[in-house]
Amino acid sequence: MFEVVRIDALRSRANGPVAQAEGSALHDFAFVDPAFVTVGCRFSVAEGPVRLTADGAVDFWSASVYSRRGDNVYSINDRSAVAGQFDLLVGTPEQLVDAQAASTDPGETVIPVEVDIDEGYLTLRALVDEESERPSVDAFMRSVTCATADPAAG
């Protein structure tokens, strides 16, 4: 399984001209939108396709798959996904054909994402449109998995 990390605003703890004072409204990133929670995952398809999933649903999410060089190779949001579920299978054309042949669940929500890269990364952002929804958005983001797919699971 690949590590899924939460992406928050970075603050420099060092002293010097780039360090921001504690409590400063300035961050090391030019803009971090507090209305979104963001997670990321680096992956490799060298050992097989990668399954990216999350449990449950939130009001809005968007995901992008990037090459190691930062080229956006795929984007999707909950409005385009099957039943609003975050469930992607990222792999080479050959890997996806093999996964489809092994699939036995006609009602699955997985969306195949064909890539011509060996390594890449995913960013997933979820909207917190009301502060009272933050716990459910945080739970959704904590449920994100990023792992080499089980060939039998398709």
Side-chain angles (χ1 to χ4, degrees), residues 11-100:
R11 293 205 173 265
S12 177
R13 299 228 184 265
N15 293 326
V18 296
Q20 302 299 329
E22 197 65 37
S24 170
L26 300 176
H27 300 281
D28 293 327
F29 285 115
F31 180 73
V32 176
D33 189 341
F36 283 89
V37 177
T38 306
V39 299
C41 167
R42 292 187 333 181
F43 63 84
S44 169
V45 297
E47 301 297 320
V50 175
R51 188 83 178 257
L52 305 158
T53 65
D55 295 330
V58 292
D59 285 342
F60 175 80
W61 59 259
S62 67
S64 294
V65 176
Y66 298 92
S67 71
R68 287 186 65 199
R69 294 180 359 173
D71 298 322
N72 187 327
V73 297
Y74 185 80
S75 294
I76 189 169
N77 64 40
D78 62 307
R79 304 321 189 249
S80 305
V82 177
Q85 296 296 304
F86 177 67
D87 189 358
L88 305 179
L89 183 66
V90 178
T92 65
E94 297 82 14
Q95 290 170 335
L96 295 179
V97 166
D98 291 345
Q100 184 177 14

Side-chain angles (χ1 to χ4, degrees), residues 48 97 105 120 134 143 154:
V97 166
D105 182 5
R134 188 169 297 277
S143 76

